[in-house]
Amino acid sequence: MEPTGIIGSSVPRVDALEKVTGRTVYGPDLKIPRMLYGKVLRSPLPHARILRVDTSRAERLPGVSAVATGNDLMVRYGLVIQDQPPFAQEKVRYIGDPVAGVAAVDPDTAEEALGLIKVDYEELPPVFDPLKAMEPGAPLVHEDLGSYWTVPVFFPAPGTNIANHFKMRKGDIEQGFRDSDFVTENIFSTPMAQHCPLEPHVSIAKFEPSGRVTIWSSTQHPYSVRREMARVLKKPINHVRVIVTCLGGGFGAKVLLKLEPMCVALAMKVKDFRPVRILLTREEEFYASVVRHPTITTIKAGVRKDGTLMALKTQIVFDTGAYADAGPVVSRSSGMSITGPYRIPHVWADSYCVYTNKPVGGAFRGFGVPQLMWAMDSTMDILAEGIGMDPLDLRLKNALEEGDTSVTGQILHSVGIKECIRKAADAIEWGKKPGKYYGKGIGTLYKMTQTPSSSSAFVKMNEDGSAEVLSSTVDMGQGSATVLAQIAAEELGVQVSHVKVVSPDTDVTPFDHGTASSRSTFHMGNAVKQAAADAKKQLFEVAADQLEARPEDLESRGGFIYLKGSSGKGTPISAIRMGVTYGKGKPIIGRGTFSVPDATPLDQETGQGTFPSIFWLYGAQGVEVRVDPETGKVEVLRVSAAHDLGRMINPLNCEQQVEGAVATGVGLALLEEMVIENGKPVNRNFRDYRIPTSMDAPAVDAMFVEAAHKDGPYGAKGVGEPALAPTAPAIGNAVYDAIGVRIKDLPITPEKILKALKEKKGENK
Amino acid sequence: MEPTGIIGSSVPRVDALEKVTGRTVYGPDLKIPRMLYGKVLRSPLPHARILRVDTSRAERLPGVSAVATGNDLMVRYGLVIQDQPPFAQEKVRYIGDPVAGVAAVDPDTAEEALGLIKVDYEELPPVFDPLKAMEPGAPLVHEDLGSYWTVPVFFPAPGTNIANHFKMRKGDIEQGFRDSDFVTENIFSTPMAQHCPLEPHVSIAKFEPSGRVTIWSSTQHPYSVRREMARVLKKPINHVRVIVTCLGGGFGAKVLLKLEPMCVALAMKVKDFRPVRILLTREEEFYASVVRHPTITTIKAGVRKDGTLMALKTQIVFDTGAYADAGPVVSRSSGMSITGPYRIPHVWADSYCVYTNKPVGGAFRGFGVPQLMWAMDSTMDILAEGIGMDPLDLRLKNALEEGDTSVTGQILHSVGIKECIRKAADAIEWGKKPGKYYGKGIGTLYKMTQTPSSSSAFVKMNEDGSAEVLSSTVDMGQGSATVLAQIAAEELGVQVSHVKVVSPDTDVTPFDHGTASSRSTFHMGNAVKQAAADAKKQLFEVAADQLEARPEDLESRGGFIYLKGSSGKGTPISAIRMGVTYGKGKPIIGRGTFSVPDATPLDQETGQGTFPSIFWLYGAQGVEVRVDPETGKVEVLRVSAAHDLGRMINPLNCEQQVEGAVATGVGLALLEEMVIENGKPVNRNFRDYRIPTSMDAPAVDAMFVEAAHKDGPYGAKGVGEPALAPTAPAIGNAVYDAIGVRIKDLPITPEKILKALKEKKGENK
């Protein structure tokens, strides 16, 4: 049945009222009876052998229930590479590495006990620079890398600090450069940055006498947490329950495992089955959760005079810090997007994920694509200038189209990039030259989604036609509960207020791969749609009998069942006897599973493969800036953002996703950088680390291109991540347009601009 | 596939360890953050008009958040007859009727506030005797009975106190008596009694700013509570969530609605969305929750010399007190079982449910059948004596058999009564005359289950082959979680420890009619079996692809998948790629619904109908007693209990159900009676109301007959209620056998025995 107006409608968020009235219970608000407070002792050294940990005084402190160290839960976890212990074993690898934990009756006692733990270290030579870390003879962060279990699509190099090396080889790279009329090679970099969710990470673990354990956690990945904790605890998976608390933001910081292993290690040691909570302080959130990978990208590109892109040679190095976490995924994702949304016949790219003795790099809205696009879309403008072509024309000339083959060999479908570029350019009046010190720039986006991956859902219908959706998608503020409610309501033919989407809990909500990679609307949307269709089928079977019709002749909308094509008034669903009281019928319960078809892994040596991603996201953004040549300050005057998300389910929600991501993008372009000195995080609070406030957030003109995807629910793809990536290159290109200097190292600070202006002046003399 | 040893095996209870270590969190242990404590002001008068309720002083007491009266939630609830307000409106109908409620920061403040509420009453003439209440001109407990909504299978008589009148008419009753050689007519009675769950009733209600409400409750009927609360609150059902807390016993006391309406009425008035809890005191539990209906049964029966039962004329009056609650269901259930497990050609029976100004009668393990069987099986012994026949022979001669037609006209299937009678008799060495003052007796059982009714379940399988079962069956101590885990494990082919049955929560666990009427193993067992089979089908589809076999050639057991008929070693289910990590396959989620086929309602005038119950339970118990003629004390020396439950899923569980019910039966036979004087409950604590202690519980020889039911899971029916009913008549008959006096009014106290012995002596003089 065609959508009836729920899909594509900006229905209010289902959780709005609770949130704006302050009644939402976030993870840190949760109090489990008899809960103990856990605190973590962290390494003061970037790299050192642990000689001895003496916890005896801490254990004797009244009010302390348990002290745990690396000797307690002697395991390593990691969903991609199993390289991380709950508490450090043998050695510490960064300043902030957990060495011991205390569970006590209150946070002060726990903190006091930390001070009583004595740790003897033997310092080891650290390595901070990822390029140096890749050199032979560099100090090894993980001597045993070769013995770690690794997901087989990743390729660590034992005996080095390389946690993953993703290779992309296509065409003949040298021939490509020979065929080019203009070649440019540059080095771009992005800094370490913080996700800064308003809610810090929190986890609570509680054991039962039977050995079962319940974990409440601010996680985007409940099923991953459960599987991994069951594995390390050597329990059947059904003995571990993960209940997701309401998240106050995630942005990738809360994917995979975070505090859960430490919480469990502490809770295991508590003798009277009291639950143990660990809640990060804001300071810990900065350096001891995860950060955005700093990157160093060497990029060489060649173009013909007519604007045909010919060759791209890239080396992008992701500094993952002390542990792999999502690093290998991020670097791989980046590698698969290496060309941006452009056709390039000859490509040679290496994407590295490298260990150093620094804070741990994790997933960050965009999975490595923002870092890549910074280099790629800056390069596009350099190429355009090199051949004297308008950067807009260069982009349009080389932009991918429906049916094109991607760099990996995939035939592309649902490709809205050209329309995005045009819309974004039009909206900032591209071609209309602005005044002095004003500039315009364009950036783009090309991003895969986690493939293969699966989502499942249940839909239960109540006897009044209202329903519950059981899904493990985590609504961390992005509005997934609203979107899934819309999809279920549309499919069932009921009002959105009559659908409740329940919060993820691995005991009851069925499997989902995880809330990340802009995959929920597509994957879980499909699962919910299917589950709702299954429920509707059952409803119609019951209704057909009662209405003396055939099930296939029925349709439902607005809570009523109609005979197809009849003009009669419908029968309210509440009048259908679902067998839940005295009478006929039977309860209505639907199930749905969306599973991406099998994908052949990409070839290790060439990165070639026909199905690396079920869908690709495309987008383009234009910005206009003004640069103050006296202060070096960049003012973002306007941002146009055009994104191909397949189909809008909730336009207002889509706009909000774009606005939020653009604001973060502006912060990353202009303001944010975690400063690490000799491994030590220097700025670790909101005074010293500046994120954009609502006053800094620019006006965003969000626009959408609906290149419907044949497998998406109502054609939808996703929109969680895209608007972050194009922001920085668009700003960088606009700054160049304004004042003729190109900053290659983010963030674009006033100091860098003043310095560049000064150098340029010197050159011009 | 044939069961592989899980079905029929006494696996330990899945919740045993938590319970014996005291770690189970029962309802009263639950603390919701910011929870307020609710207390209830109850009527001191049995029947009165409320002139005025002044709550102003209570409202001003510091610490009081809300005061609610009948003016606040002006609705009536009731799943059978909507006759009950949350707080009394216009008038009070029994001593204990809720008049107002207070929610305060602590119980003492709430209690103090209750003392500040002033209520002016105008006394009305009360009616306590149910027979007098049926007379014309009796004071009316519900003047508006005719305007109350009623489930259409019940028949209240407006303008009277009759809440339901169930009629059973078969054959020609007068002809039946004329054809009899011996006729006897007697009046039997049973007293008001208390369920005495160790955990008193508790409910917590919490509103959200969006208007949604969550109710945590010690209920056997989560879906009924939800539907009824949504109805009275005029909300879509999905705006009400009912989470079942862990029950410490139910026995029927926790079916339908209990504290929930009061909790919700109070929580609605709390301005800052704090949750409100009401926890009954033990004293309130006695007189202000529900009680077992007292009954008065006039029973006339006729038999031929050869032992053929000919006629039965019965009037059974259930005193339901001030509100209907489950009374109409109980009286109807009793009416359908009116013949006991015996063939009788001519039957005329009237089962009445009658209002009085006394505590409310509710469901009680057996739904009216214990009261009926007390009269019926005592009568059987009187008949046997009347024709000089052994009571065992009389029973066997008239006992129902497979294919017999019941009194309602149903052709019976799965009828194990004869074997039960023989087994129970053999086990107490029937026929072997015991010594002086020793006696033996037999009682029987014949019980329907709630029909029609439905159950649904989901089964989620994890990637290691472990699974969760989502079911709304409430495990209140009877062991349903263990039995459902066994059924799911058997069907999936995994270990029982690899299945977790989650606790009912209407947001997530699918519809179930309710945990009552011995229906869960049959109905939910079927739903779980079907859901597991659905999951297994999906598993085999994934596995077939991987194992290069056809799904239909696969089978699973012990966590392994085998090729049918092959002797090879199997593939662990954990090796099947369920698509939850990188790789092939898809998540496994199953659904199942068991819905009893449509039943034509019984004819109102004759009680005739072909399908009143999907299955019938049969049982027989023998007892041996010793009566001390000096003290009148009855000692139960041994009890044999043989029950036809279709098929044992967990033999130990079945035995425990029988032992528990027999103990309760002994209490009801010999000890328990709630004394009401002028409407006032006199004994309302465990000192004045005596239940059997573990020292009083007799040794029980539990035996089972497995007359497999064609529609039961593995043939199973149920065993929750049956062993209570036969206990009292068996003891009564044994007492007669021992000392020649027949007590017709339960309990059989020493005083009654001494009085009867004295009267007998007088007669014999």
Side-chain angles (χ1 to χ4, degrees):
Chain A
M1 189 165 55
E2 271 304 290
T4 56
I6 292 173
I7 301 303
S9 165
S10 293
V11 303
R13 291 209 179 193
V14 294
D15 53 356
L17 220 56
E18 272 67 56
K19 284 191 169 167
V20 298
T21 54
R23 294 292 163 199
T24 300
V25 178
Y26 291 98
D29 304 325
L30 201 67
K31 301 274 188 302
I32 308 295
R34 305 168 63 246
M35 189 173 84
L36 297 168
Y37 296 80
K39 288 279 177 184
V40 180
L41 183 71
R42 299 183 179 279
S43 170
L45 300 172
H47 202 191
R49 196 161 305 287
I50 299 172
L51 300 178
R52 188 167 156 273
V53 183
D54 180 358
T55 60
S56 56
R57 284 184 62 206
E59 281 161 19
R60 286 196 301 269
L61 184 70
V64 169
S65 279
V67 180
T69 70
N71 291 324
D72 286 306
L73 185 57
M74 290 281 284
V75 298
R76 283 191 318 271
Y77 65 88
L79 280 160
V80 175
I81 299 180
Q82 287 169 5
D83 65 358
Q84 193 160 4
F87 293 103
Q89 296 157 9
E90 297 178 22
K91 67 177 202 168
V92 289
R93 295 181 172 91
Y94 76 105
I95 293 177
D97 212 357
V99 176
V102 169
V105 291
D106 56 55
D108 287 350
T109 305
E111 198 70 50
E112 186 183 346
L114 291 187
L116 300 176
I117 297 172
K118 195 175 170 330
V119 188
D120 295 337
Y121 295 103
E122 176 194 329
E123 290 198 45
L124 296 170
V127 60
F128 301 125
D129 180 332
L131 298 180
K132 287 197 177 133
M134 290 170 75
E135 289 171 6
L140 289 181
V141 181
H142 292 271
E143 295 85 347
D144 299 329
L145 181 56
S147 72
Y148 295 165
W149 178 89
T150 302
V151 172
V153 302
F154 300 107
F155 310 106
T160 78
N161 286 312
I162 298 171
N164 190 43
H165 179 190
F166 178 81
K167 301 177 196 173
M168 180 62 68
R169 309 286 185 255
K170 185 191 169 198
D172 179 340
I173 187 68
E174 292 311 324
Q175 188 61 44
F177 286 122
R178 280 193 296 274
D179 292 348
S180 299
D181 296 312
F182 175 77
V183 171
T184 179
E185 180 167 6
N186 300 278
I187 298 177
F188 293 88
S189 77
T190 63
M192 184 182 294
Q194 236 298 315
H195 306 70
C196 298
L198 283 189
E199 176 214 46
H201 287 70
V202 60
S203 293
I204 306 172
K206 180 178 190 286
F207 277 85
E208 304 293 343
S210 60
R212 292 171 191 264
V213 58
T214 301
I215 301 169
W216 293 260
S217 194
S218 62
T219 180
Q220 299 175 233
H221 267 179
Y223 269 89
S224 297
V225 170
R226 184 164 78 148
R227 182 175 68 240
E228 195 64 351
M229 292 315 303
R231 184 185 65 77
V232 301
L233 290 170
K234 297 185 174 64
K235 289 181 187 296
I237 290 175
N238 70 327
H239 288 215
V240 180
R241 176 180 195 174
V242 178
I243 299 172
V244 178
T245 55
C246 182
L247 266 69
F251 312 114
K254 295 169 182 171
V255 304
L256 310 192
L257 282 78
K258 292 292 172 286
L259 304 177
E260 300 87 357
M262 286 192 285
C263 250
V264 164
L266 270 172
M268 280 176 75
K269 291 203 77 178
V270 173
K271 291 198 174 59
D272 54 358
F273 304 103
R274 292 177 71 167
V276 177
R277 180 183 88 174
I278 299 177
L279 167 65
L280 290 191
T281 62
R282 178 56 60 186
E283 198 174 43
E284 287 177 305
E285 187 69 24
F286 265 93
Y287 71 98
S289 61
V290 281
V291 298
R292 187 173 75 154
H293 294 86
T295 56
I296 300 164
T297 303
T298 308
I299 180 166
K300 181 179 174 185
V303 66
R304 281 199 176 143
K305 267 184 213 155
D306 68 354
T308 307
L309 292 176
M310 293 307 295
L312 175 72
K313 186 170 185 184
T314 313
Q315 176 186 279
I316 178 162
V317 176
F318 287 84
D319 177 356
T320 199
Y323 299 101
D325 195 89
V329 187
V330 168
S331 61
R332 183 174 185 263
S333 157
S334 178
M336 285 196 260
S337 289
I338 200 75
T339 57
Y342 308 115
R343 266 187 313 268
I344 310 179
H346 307 289
V347 178
W348 179 287
D350 296 281
S351 179
Y352 291 99
C353 175
V354 178
Y355 289 119
T356 62
N357 295 112
K358 298 219 294 286
V360 182
F364 192 118
R365 207 171 189 173
F367 272 76
V369 171
Q371 291 100 316
L372 163 72
M373 292 311 304
W374 167 240
M376 186 65 205
D377 257 323
S378 296
T379 296
M380 285 298 281
D381 269 37
I382 297 170
L383 291 173
E385 190 181 32
I387 58 171
M389 192 171 188
D390 185 310
L392 174 63
D393 296 337
L394 181 67
R395 286 186 170 83
L396 286 170
K397 184 174 177 71
N398 293 283
L400 292 163
E401 291 181 322
E402 180 80 22
D404 270 351
T405 301
S406 79
V407 65
T408 73
Q410 179 176 12
I411 295 168
L412 297 170
H413 160 63
S414 169
V415 186
I417 181 65
K418 279 200 174 173
E419 198 181 342
C420 288
I421 293 171
R422 282 197 202 95
K423 280 196 170 196
D426 288 352
I428 58 162
E429 299 167 285
W430 186 263
K432 193 171 156 189
K433 196 62 203 164
K436 198 175 180 188
Y437 305 131
Y438 285 77
K440 292 178 183 174
I442 293 176
T444 63
L445 168 99
Y446 174 59
K447 190 183 176 296
M448 64 165 308
T449 190
Q450 179 72 62
T451 303
S453 75
S454 303
S455 297
S456 289
F458 290 128
V459 169
K460 291 162 54 210
M461 181 171 268
N462 304 313
E463 56 271 34
D464 64 349
S466 68
E468 288 87 35
V469 172
L470 277 69
S471 133
S472 295
T473 289
V474 177
D475 195 332
M476 48 198 166
Q478 84 278 36
S480 58
T482 307
V483 165
L484 296 176
Q486 285 178 266
I487 291 174
E490 173 66 32
E491 193 63 31
L492 293 171
V494 302
Q495 298 168 54
V496 177
S497 66
H498 280 53
V499 175
K500 178 173 185 186
V501 178
V502 304
S503 184
D505 169 350
T506 57
D507 256 15
V508 293
T509 54
F511 178 83
D512 176 54
H513 186 88
T515 306
S517 202
S518 302
R519 63 179 292 282
S520 298
T521 298
F522 189 93
H523 294 77
M524 190 57 83
N526 269 319
V528 167
K529 190 165 181 281
Q530 198 185 105
D534 183 23
K536 188 167 67 175
K537 182 167 174 284
Q538 297 169 42
L539 172 68
F540 284 1
E541 277 163 17
V542 174
D545 188 34
Q546 189 175 326
L547 302 176
E548 295 177 357
R550 292 182 313 171
E552 58 270 31
D553 293 338
L554 300 177
E555 60 185 10
S556 56
R557 44 182 198 277
F560 286 78
I561 295 183
Y562 298 88
L563 261 175
K564 274 182 197 166
S566 89
S567 57
K569 67 186 170 78
T571 305
I573 295 178
S574 59
I576 304 303
R577 290 186 291 270
M578 296 189 197
V580 300
T581 51
Y582 295 86
K584 291 185 172 194
K586 63 178 193 174
I588 309 296
I589 54 173
R591 62 174 170 80
T593 282
F594 181 78
S595 211
V596 170
D598 301 344
T600 313
L602 301 184
D603 180 72
Q604 182 180 353
E605 290 307 318
T606 66
Q608 295 298 297
T610 54
F611 194 54
S613 183
I614 177 76
F615 65 80
W616 289 86
L617 296 170
Y618 301 89
Q621 293 177 199
V623 300
E624 180 172 359
V625 302
R626 183 186 172 275
V627 184
D628 185 329
E630 303 301 316
T631 62
K633 192 170 156 43
V634 177
E635 198 183 348
V636 179
L637 301 171
R638 54 174 168 172
V639 177
S640 63
H643 287 275
D644 164 21
L645 42 52
R647 171 78 187 265
M648 286 183 284
I649 304 294
N650 186 315
L652 187 60
N653 238 17
C654 296
E655 283 175 35
Q656 290 165 345
Q657 282 287 65
V658 167
E659 285 171 10
V662 166
T664 306
V666 169
L668 295 168
L670 300 177
L671 300 171
E672 301 182 41
E673 175 171 17
M674 277 187 66
V675 179
I676 307 290
E677 286 177 0
N678 292 320
K680 195 176 168 68
V682 174
N683 54 344
R684 45 194 198 189
N685 56 53
F686 281 138
R687 191 188 55 218
D688 299 327
Y689 182 96
R690 289 178 53 215
I691 58 172
T693 66
S694 57
M695 300 300 289
D696 300 313
V700 178
D701 189 0
M703 292 161 291
F704 297 99
V705 171
E706 294 186 312
H709 193 289
K710 65 181 171 58
D711 298 322
Y714 313 100
K717 296 191 290 192
V719 74
E721 301 162 295
L724 199 157
T727 313
I731 291 174
N733 289 336
V735 167
Y736 184 83
D737 186 42
I739 56 170
V741 300
R742 179 166 297 283
I743 308 300
K744 296 177 184 169
D745 304 302
L746 287 177
I748 306 170
T749 59
E751 294 74 21
K752 289 180 191 166
I753 285 185
L754 292 178
K755 184 164 173 274
L757 280 174
K758 203 174 156 188
E759 283 167 9
K760 191 187 171 204
K761 226 173 175 176
E763 283 165 21
N764 290 353
K765 264 183 205 159
Chain B
M1 187 168 57
E2 271 304 290
T4 56
I6 292 173
I7 301 301
S9 164
S10 294
V11 303
R13 292 210 179 194
V14 294
D15 53 356
L17 220 55
E18 273 67 55
K19 284 191 168 167
V20 299
T21 54
R23 293 293 163 199
T24 300
V25 178
Y26 291 98
D29 304 325
L30 201 65
K31 300 275 189 301
I32 308 295
R34 305 167 65 246
M35 188 173 87
L36 297 169
Y37 295 80
K39 288 278 177 185
V40 180
L41 183 70
R42 299 183 178 281
S43 170
L45 300 172
H47 199 190
R49 197 161 304 286
I50 299 172
L51 301 179
R52 188 164 157 275
V53 183
D54 181 357
T55 60
S56 55
R57 287 183 64 205
E59 281 161 21
R60 287 197 299 271
L61 185 70
V64 170
S65 279
V67 181
T69 69
N71 291 325
D72 286 305
L73 186 55
M74 289 280 285
V75 297
R76 284 191 317 271
Y77 65 89
L79 280 160
V80 175
I81 300 181
Q82 288 169 5
D83 64 359
Q84 195 161 4
F87 292 104
Q89 296 158 6
E90 297 179 23
K91 65 178 206 171
V92 290
R93 295 182 171 90
Y94 76 103
I95 292 177
D97 212 356
V99 176
V102 169
V105 291
D106 57 54
D108 287 350
T109 305
E111 198 70 48
E112 188 185 342
L114 291 188
L116 299 176
I117 298 173
K118 193 173 170 333
V119 188
D120 296 336
Y121 295 103
E122 177 194 326
E123 290 199 45
L124 295 171
V127 59
F128 301 125
D129 180 331
L131 298 181
K132 286 196 179 134
M134 291 170 73
E135 289 171 7
L140 290 181
V141 181
H142 291 271
E143 294 85 347
D144 299 327
L145 180 57
S147 72
Y148 294 165
W149 179 88
T150 302
V151 171
V153 302
F154 299 107
F155 310 105
T160 77
N161 286 310
I162 298 172
N164 190 42
H165 180 191
F166 178 82
K167 301 178 196 173
M168 180 62 70
R169 310 285 185 254
K170 186 191 167 197
D172 179 339
I173 187 68
E174 291 312 322
Q175 188 62 43
F177 284 123
R178 279 193 296 271
D179 291 348
S180 299
D181 295 314
F182 176 76
V183 172
T184 180
E185 180 167 7
N186 301 276
I187 299 176
F188 293 88
S189 77
T190 63
M192 185 182 292
Q194 235 300 315
H195 306 71
C196 298
L198 282 189
E199 175 213 44
H201 287 70
V202 61
S203 292
I204 305 172
K206 181 177 187 289
F207 277 85
E208 304 294 344
S210 60
R212 292 172 192 263
V213 58
T214 301
I215 301 168
W216 292 260
S217 194
S218 62
T219 180
Q220 299 175 230
H221 267 180
Y223 269 88
S224 298
V225 170
R226 183 163 79 148
R227 183 175 67 237
E228 194 65 350
M229 292 315 303
R231 184 185 66 77
V232 301
L233 291 169
K234 298 186 174 57
K235 289 181 187 297
I237 290 175
N238 71 326
H239 289 214
V240 180
R241 177 181 194 174
V242 178
I243 299 173
V244 179
T245 55
C246 182
L247 267 67
F251 314 114
K254 294 168 183 172
V255 303
L256 311 192
L257 282 77
K258 293 291 174 285
L259 304 177
E260 299 88 356
M262 287 191 284
C263 250
V264 164
L266 271 172
M268 280 176 74
K269 291 204 78 178
V270 173
K271 291 199 175 56
D272 54 357
F273 304 103
R274 292 177 71 169
V276 177
R277 180 182 88 174
I278 299 178
L279 168 64
L280 291 190
T281 63
R282 178 55 62 187
E283 197 174 43
E284 287 178 306
E285 186 69 25
F286 266 94
Y287 71 97
S289 63
V290 280
V291 297
R292 185 173 78 157
H293 293 88
T295 55
I296 301 166
T297 303
T298 308
I299 180 168
K300 181 179 173 185
V303 64
R304 280 196 176 147
K305 265 185 212 153
D306 67 354
T308 307
L309 292 177
M310 292 308 296
L312 175 71
K313 186 170 185 184
T314 312
Q315 175 187 280
I316 178 163
V317 176
F318 287 85
D319 176 357
T320 198
Y323 299 100
D325 196 88
V329 187
V330 168
S331 61
R332 183 173 185 264
S333 156
S334 177
M336 285 196 258
S337 289
I338 200 78
T339 56
Y342 308 116
R343 266 188 313 267
I344 310 180
H346 306 289
V347 177
W348 180 287
D350 295 281
S351 179
Y352 290 99
C353 175
V354 177
Y355 289 120
T356 61
N357 294 112
K358 299 219 295 283
V360 182
F364 192 117
R365 206 172 192 174
F367 271 76
V369 172
Q371 290 99 317
L372 163 73
M373 291 312 303
W374 166 240
M376 184 66 206
D377 257 324
S378 294
T379 297
M380 286 297 280
D381 269 37
I382 296 171
L383 291 173
E385 191 181 29
I387 56 169
M389 193 170 185
D390 185 311
L392 173 63
D393 295 337
L394 180 67
R395 286 184 170 85
L396 287 171
K397 184 174 177 71
N398 293 284
L400 292 164
E401 289 181 322
E402 180 81 22
D404 271 349
T405 301
S406 79
V407 66
T408 74
Q410 179 177 11
I411 294 168
L412 297 170
H413 160 64
S414 171
V415 186
I417 182 65
K418 279 199 176 174
E419 198 181 340
C420 288
I421 293 172
R422 280 195 203 98
K423 279 196 169 195
D426 287 353
I428 57 161
E429 299 168 285
W430 185 265
K432 193 172 154 190
K433 195 63 203 162
K436 199 176 178 189
Y437 304 130
Y438 285 77
K440 292 178 182 175
I442 293 176
T444 64
L445 168 100
Y446 172 61
K447 189 182 176 298
M448 65 165 309
T449 190
Q450 180 72 61
T451 304
S453 76
S454 302
S455 297
S456 288
F458 290 128
V459 168
K460 292 162 54 211
M461 182 171 267
N462 303 312
E463 56 270 36
D464 64 350
S466 68
E468 288 88 35
V469 172
L470 278 68
S471 132
S472 294
T473 290
V474 177
D475 196 333
M476 47 198 167
Q478 86 278 35
S480 57
T482 307
V483 164
L484 296 176
Q486 284 179 269
I487 291 174
E490 173 66 32
E491 193 64 30
L492 293 170
V494 303
Q495 299 169 51
V496 176
S497 68
H498 280 52
V499 176
K500 177 172 185 187
V501 178
V502 305
S503 185
D505 170 349
T506 57
D507 257 14
V508 292
T509 54
F511 179 83
D512 177 53
H513 186 89
T515 307
S517 203
S518 300
R519 64 179 290 284
S520 298
T521 299
F522 189 92
H523 293 77
M524 190 57 82
N526 268 319
V528 167
K529 189 165 182 281
Q530 198 184 105
D534 183 24
K536 187 167 68 176
K537 182 167 174 285
Q538 297 168 43
L539 172 69
F540 284 2
E541 276 162 17
V542 174
D545 187 35
Q546 188 176 329
L547 303 177
E548 296 177 358
R550 293 184 310 172
E552 58 270 30
D553 293 338
L554 300 176
E555 60 185 9
S556 57
R557 46 181 196 277
F560 286 79
I561 294 181
Y562 299 88
L563 263 175
K564 274 181 195 166
S566 90
S567 57
K569 66 185 171 74
T571 305
I573 294 177
S574 60
I576 303 304
R577 290 187 292 268
M578 296 189 198
V580 299
T581 51
Y582 297 84
K584 293 186 174 193
K586 63 178 195 174
I588 309 296
I589 53 173
R591 62 173 169 82
T593 282
F594 181 78
S595 212
V596 170
D598 301 343
T600 312
L602 300 184
D603 180 75
Q604 182 181 351
E605 291 306 317
T606 65
Q608 294 299 297
T610 53
F611 195 53
S613 183
I614 178 75
F615 66 78
W616 289 86
L617 296 170
Y618 301 88
Q621 292 177 201
V623 300
E624 181 172 357
V625 302
R626 183 184 171 278
V627 184
D628 185 330
E630 300 303 316
T631 63
K633 191 169 159 40
V634 176
E635 198 182 347
V636 179
L637 301 172
R638 55 174 168 171
V639 176
S640 62
H643 287 275
D644 164 21
L645 41 55
R647 172 78 187 266
M648 286 184 283
I649 304 294
N650 185 316
L652 187 60
N653 240 15
C654 297
E655 281 174 36
Q656 289 165 343
Q657 282 287 63
V658 167
E659 284 171 10
V662 166
T664 306
V666 168
L668 294 170
L670 301 177
L671 299 171
E672 298 182 42
E673 174 169 18
M674 276 187 66
V675 180
I676 306 290
E677 286 176 1
N678 292 319
K680 197 176 168 66
V682 174
N683 53 344
R684 46 197 198 187
N685 57 53
F686 282 138
R687 190 188 55 218
D688 299 326
Y689 182 97
R690 289 176 54 215
I691 58 171
T693 66
S694 58
M695 299 301 288
D696 299 313
V700 178
D701 189 357
M703 294 162 290
F704 297 99
V705 171
E706 294 186 312
H709 193 289
K710 66 183 172 52
D711 297 322
Y714 311 100
K717 297 190 289 189
V719 72
E721 302 163 296
L724 199 158
T727 312
I731 291 175
N733 290 334
V735 166
Y736 185 83
D737 186 44
I739 55 168
V741 300
R742 179 164 298 281
I743 308 298
K744 295 175 185 170
D745 304 302
L746 286 177
I748 306 170
T749 59
E751 295 73 22
K752 288 179 190 168
I753 285 182
L754 291 178
K755 183 162 173 274
L757 280 174
K758 202 172 157 189
E759 283 168 8
K760 189 185 172 203
K761 225 169 172 181
E763 283 166 21
N764 290 351
K765 262 183 204 155

